[in-house]
Amino acid sequence: MLIVKKYDVIVIGGGPAGLAAAISAKKENAEVLLIERESRLGGILKQCIHDGFGLVRFGEKLSGPEYAEKFIEEFHLLKIDYKVLTFVTYIKKIDYGFEVTVVNKDGVISYETKTIVLSTGCRERTAKQVSIHGTRPAGVFTAGTAQHFTNILGEMPTKKCVILGSGDIGLIMARRLTLEGAKVCGVYEAKPSPSGLTRNIMQCLTDFDIPLYLSRTVTRVFGQDRLEAVEISKVDESMKPISGTEEIIECDALILSVGLIPENELAENLGVILDPRTKGPICDEKFMTNVPGIFSCGNALHVNDLVDYVSESGEIAGKAAAHYRKDEKKIVNLNVSSNFFYMVPQKVHVNLEEEIILYFRSRDVMEKAVFSIKVDGKTVFEKKYFNLKPPEMERLIVNLSDLGIKQDSKVEMEVQ
């Protein structure tokens, strides 16, 4: 196979995380190549025409395309190499680092790189993945697909719909479709509490009088060529449908906002170990995986609420990839209590004289909670939270030099 060029860093994925990683690595004087499978850079932001992006990073409300364009402009100013409409088919370990094989209009090509940043984003769960029974009519969409129809293609996917799942994309599409003249019968959520951000519940549902029904799910769809109706059932504490509570709602579309799955098939093929809670790689404070030289960031690492933090993780991973040198520094695991849904990173190097960022979610709603870090049984850090909610990720900066972590230390994270 012809090796076209050698790089210091190859970034796979040209969304907000990949763009930030490529820019960050280039600013550290690394030779960078970004590979994107779509025809344009920007990732999912290209179709997110609503505002609310960039409040943390830029201090202003931006639409998705506006947010992406800020990074794309800087990306081009730095003259970073990139390939669009290019698919990575295989990655293998070599003496130099890694050989990345891609396919595009020019054929099958290989590049060599010292490090790789995986910023491959995530995909949506489908109807079959949440066990909805019935026929297979047209009119069953994921929220992202409905968004693509409406915002990119300019086509209305529905006149009267039911939305299953109160994730943020579903909430935003409830408002978007209402503004375009569709009737949203309601948003149905199997959990006893909403899955989206509080601000989206208020701005997308409450402000538009769209009802939210909790502890309910879609159990069946009806229709041959086109969806005609759905069956809604109440669910118990285990989220199993309760017999006798079925209700039929006539509609021409069912829109699913039932969760996102990080895209990590490439990572798994490289032997990267995934965290069963995040579905993303287990990593250290620089977002390097268990495979030396392989970094992960953005929604491929864990599903973020805000794109600002997607970009932040990309910057950290890109800079670390540019400066990667194989070392034997001791790593300790961060052991989290059962009250956490997850925490990233899952491990840190000892003897670091720097601040690190922790991202975490609580498993349940917790009022007046206390986050604490214990090293060898001694509490070395505490922070109080007024209200923790699983849908709202928390970001915490901790200075490792203050914690006294040693090579044989046991580090425990608790929230209660």
Side-chain angles (χ1 to χ4, degrees):
M1 186 69 65
L2 176 65
I3 304 298
V4 176
K5 188 174 179 180
K6 291 185 177 181
Y7 289 93
D8 298 315
V9 181
I10 286 183
V11 178
I12 302 175
L19 287 167
I23 291 169
S24 177
K26 185 68 173 181
K27 287 181 176 179
E28 301 300 317
N29 299 315
E31 281 293 318
V32 182
L33 171 66
L34 185 146
I35 299 170
E36 168 57 45
R37 65 187 177 189
E38 294 188 3
S39 60
R40 294 165 53 209
L41 300 176
I44 197 65
L45 293 180
K46 298 191 293 293
Q47 67 185 48
C48 299
I49 66 172
H50 54 279
D51 67 7
F53 299 93
L55 284 169
V56 174
R57 188 179 190 89
F58 299 112
E60 59 178 323
K61 287 184 178 181
L62 301 172
S63 68
E66 287 174 325
Y67 183 95
E69 194 60 32
K70 286 181 175 290
F71 286 87
I72 292 170
E73 288 178 359
E74 185 175 10
F75 180 89
H76 289 312
L77 283 173
L78 292 171
K79 298 180 179 179
I80 300 171
D81 288 351
Y82 70 102
K83 296 288 182 181
V84 293
L85 289 174
T86 299
F87 295 79
V88 176
T89 59
Y90 186 67
I91 303 173
K92 71 175 181 179
K93 189 79 176 70
I94 57 174
D95 291 339
Y96 183 75
F98 302 92
E99 182 181 318
V100 180
T101 301
V102 305
V103 61
N104 57 24
K105 63 182 179 62
D106 298 320
V108 180
I109 306 167
S110 287
Y111 302 96
E112 289 186 358
T113 180
K114 293 178 181 177
T115 61
I116 294 173
V117 178
L118 298 171
S119 53
T120 46
C122 53
R123 63 179 182 269
E124 297 176 279
R125 293 186 189 277
T126 65
K128 296 305 177 185
Q129 288 176 300
V130 291
S131 302
I132 297 176
H133 302 288
T135 53
R136 299 186 64 185
V140 180
F141 306 96
T142 64
T145 300
Q147 188 179 61
H148 180 80
F149 268 88
T150 309
N151 296 346
I152 301 296
L153 302 181
E155 299 286 348
M156 275 293 284
T158 179
K159 293 180 180 178
K160 184 180 180 181
C161 69
V162 164
I163 296 179
L164 176 61
S166 58
D168 290 310
I169 307 175
L171 299 176
I172 288 163
M173 283 311 298
R175 176 180 62 184
R176 182 77 178 99
L177 292 169
T178 299
L179 288 170
E180 290 297 332
K183 168 66 175 176
V184 178
C185 300
V187 175
Y188 294 82
E189 171 59 56
K191 296 178 183 177
S193 59
S195 297
L197 294 172
T198 301
R199 76 179 192 194
N200 285 333
I201 297 288
M202 299 301 295
Q203 295 173 3
C204 299
L205 300 188
T206 305
D207 290 354
F208 289 85
D209 295 322
I210 300 171
L212 171 64
Y213 301 97
L214 300 175
S215 298
R216 288 171 172 83
T217 190
V218 174
T219 47
R220 188 175 296 274
V221 297
F222 303 95
Q224 294 301 320
D225 296 331
R226 178 77 190 196
L227 184 72
E228 298 173 3
V230 299
E231 178 187 84
I232 303 288
S233 299
K234 293 182 180 179
V235 299
D236 59 21
E237 294 178 355
S238 302
M239 290 192 289
K240 294 181 179 180
I242 301 172
S243 179
T245 64
E246 298 85 0
E247 175 188 2
I248 304 297
I249 298 178
E250 293 184 358
C251 57
D252 65 4
L254 171 63
I255 295 173
L256 304 169
S257 179
V258 289
L260 301 170
I261 304 171
E263 293 262 19
N264 279 304
E265 286 73 18
L266 287 174
E268 289 186 281
N269 289 337
L270 287 164
V272 171
I273 299 173
L274 302 186
D275 186 329
R277 293 165 295 185
T278 63
K279 304 297 188 295
I282 293 174
C283 62
D284 64 20
E285 73 282 349
K286 299 298 185 184
F287 304 136
M288 188 171 78
T289 69
N290 63 291
V291 179
I294 300 292
F295 297 79
S296 179
C297 61
N299 286 340
L301 179 59
H302 65 111
V303 179
N304 291 254
D305 305 334
L306 304 179
V307 71
D308 309 69
Y309 298 145
V310 168
S311 300
E312 180 178 64
S313 67
E315 288 176 332
I316 294 170
K319 182 177 180 179
H323 289 288
Y324 170 71
R325 298 289 185 275
K326 193 169 183 178
D327 60 50
E328 301 299 329
K329 288 183 180 178
K330 179 70 175 177
I331 287 181
V332 297
N333 294 321
L334 303 181
N335 302 290
V336 299
S337 68
S338 59
N339 285 338
F340 286 99
F341 181 59
Y342 72 75
M343 176 178 289
V344 175
Q346 294 88 346
K347 54 188 179 180
V348 297
H349 288 91
V350 300
N351 301 322
L352 288 179
E353 300 294 324
E354 60 186 65
E355 293 180 334
I356 67 165
I357 301 174
L358 301 175
Y359 304 97
F360 70 90
R361 295 181 192 271
S362 63
R363 183 169 295 281
D364 302 300
V365 176
M366 303 178 69
E367 296 182 358
K368 298 181 180 179
V370 178
F371 175 100
S372 63
I373 302 176
K374 292 183 178 181
V375 177
D376 298 324
K378 180 182 178 182
T379 300
V380 296
F381 178 89
E382 282 190 343
K383 181 173 180 177
K384 295 180 180 180
Y385 288 90
F386 178 73
N387 196 5
L388 293 177
K389 300 178 180 179
E392 299 181 7
M393 186 188 76
E394 299 293 336
R395 173 184 178 273
L396 177 63
I397 297 177
V398 177
N399 194 322
L400 286 183
S401 63
D402 297 336
L403 304 185
I405 299 175
K406 300 176 183 178
Q407 289 191 0
D408 56 352
S409 293
K410 181 180 181 180
V411 183
E412 299 170 286
M413 306 291 194
E414 294 183 353
V415 59
Q416 54 189 348

